[in-house]
Amino acid sequence: MNNNKDSAGSAFVLGALLCVGLALLGYFVSGGIVRIRALDRTVEVKGLSEREVPADIAIWPIRFNEADNDLNLLFLTLERKNAAIEAFLKKRGFKEDEISVSAPAIQDRQAQGYSDTQIKFRYSGASTLTVYTRNVDSVRNAMKDLVELGKQGIAIAGQDYEAKTEYLFTRLNDIKPDMVEEATKNARLVAEKFARDSQSGLGKIKRAVQGQFSINDRDSNTPHIKKVRVVSTLEYYLAD
């Protein structure tokens, strides 16, 4: 009989301890979940930085077309006009190593199936001189004087796809650190305002992603001025 009572008492004590243990475990687990959820309270914000910068390289193709029934005369005309364009460019300060002349593109229209009644000249040729320079202003000024070449009988092709002037900005590394800093500061200002509005405190950065830099023309009329843009994404912890 005493053994039964002792066994029952031990079982009761064991059960009570088990209940208390489960209760404490539940308390700590639930408290841990609350703390984990508190850590997961974050805000994700974006910060923008933009700059307008002048292009530092110009690539200026100068293209013209000629036609003739005599192939030799066509080549002579192309050479003569190429020399005239080179002289025009050097007079405006461009160095010889900034000027390159591409091989002329010649077409035999008769060989392409055109009949004699359809064409006036059998051969047509196109020549392109390209200026590659860091003196962007000189390119823009020289383009205004192309009328002088016209007076010499050189009809310069328009700014089509094959003869479009390009302006490049290559000093991104010089401004990148300041722009990243500015984007990060702007993102933090947004995060701080959100924290104030939500009656929270702003904690440490949980995650930061630097976006890709983009370089585009400011507009179609000023391709020599570039707009550099970057967006940084930051995620901050929020605290009560």
Side-chain angles (χ1 to χ4, degrees), residues 101-153:
V101 182
S102 302
I106 305 296
Q107 286 186 341
D108 184 346
R109 295 173 175 173
Q110 191 176 84
Q112 293 178 343
Y114 292 96
S115 67
D116 291 339
T117 59
Q118 292 177 311
I119 58 172
K120 183 177 180 180
F121 298 107
R122 174 177 176 178
Y123 301 104
S124 66
S127 184
T128 304
L129 292 85
T130 303
V131 178
Y132 185 98
T133 180
R134 291 189 175 275
N135 199 336
V136 176
D137 289 339
S138 292
V139 168
R140 298 184 62 235
N141 291 330
M143 292 175 74
K144 300 175 184 177
D145 296 334
L146 286 177
V147 65
E148 293 189 17
L149 292 176
K151 292 177 182 179
Q152 299 179 47

Side-chain angles (χ1 to χ4, degrees), residues 35-215:
R35 284 192 290 274
I36 291 172
R37 288 178 177 171
L39 289 176
D40 283 340
R41 291 182 59 222
T42 61
V43 58
E44 182 177 288
V45 292
K46 296 182 182 296
L48 170 66
S49 178
E50 286 185 328
R51 299 279 177 90
E52 286 188 2
V53 295
D56 59 323
I57 287 180
I59 305 174
W60 179 26
I62 305 172
R63 182 182 176 91
F64 66 94
N65 300 288
E66 290 295 327
D68 206 306
N69 285 317
D70 188 311
L71 188 58
N72 290 329
L73 287 178
L74 176 62
F75 275 108
L76 289 173
T77 301
L78 293 174
E79 289 179 358
R80 177 177 58 81
K81 293 190 174 182
N82 280 341
I85 294 173
E86 284 193 68
F88 167 85
L89 293 172
K90 289 178 180 178
K91 184 178 179 181
R92 281 152 184 79
F94 296 106
K95 300 177 182 178
E96 188 168 350
D97 61 359
E98 295 177 314
I99 305 168
S100 62
V101 182
S102 302
I106 305 296
Q107 286 186 341
D108 184 346
R109 295 173 175 173
Q110 191 176 84
Q112 293 178 343
Y114 292 96
S115 67
D116 291 339
T117 59
Q118 292 177 311
I119 58 172
K120 183 177 180 180
F121 298 107
R122 174 177 176 178
Y123 301 104
S124 66
S127 184
T128 304
L129 292 85
T130 303
V131 178
Y132 185 98
T133 180
R134 291 189 175 275
N135 199 336
V136 176
D137 289 339
S138 292
V139 168
R140 298 184 62 235
N141 291 330
M143 292 175 74
K144 300 175 184 177
D145 296 334
L146 286 177
V147 65
E148 293 189 17
L149 292 176
K151 292 177 182 179
Q152 299 179 47
I154 305 174
I156 302 301
Q159 291 281 304
D160 56 16
Y161 178 77
E162 294 182 350
K164 185 176 182 180
T165 304
E166 290 185 72
Y167 297 96
L168 308 177
F169 176 70
T170 62
R171 301 194 309 271
L172 179 60
N173 287 337
D174 294 344
I175 63 174
K176 184 183 290 186
D178 290 340
M179 291 190 66
V180 171
E181 181 181 357
E182 182 181 21
T184 302
K185 287 181 178 178
N186 289 338
R188 184 173 181 85
L189 290 174
V190 176
E192 288 174 343
K193 184 178 186 308
F194 180 90
R196 288 195 302 270
D197 292 344
S198 62
Q199 298 182 348
S200 301
L202 193 64
K204 295 181 179 179
I205 295 176
K206 178 182 179 181
R207 183 176 61 92
V209 178
Q210 178 189 308
Q212 294 290 329
F213 279 82
S214 63
I215 304 175

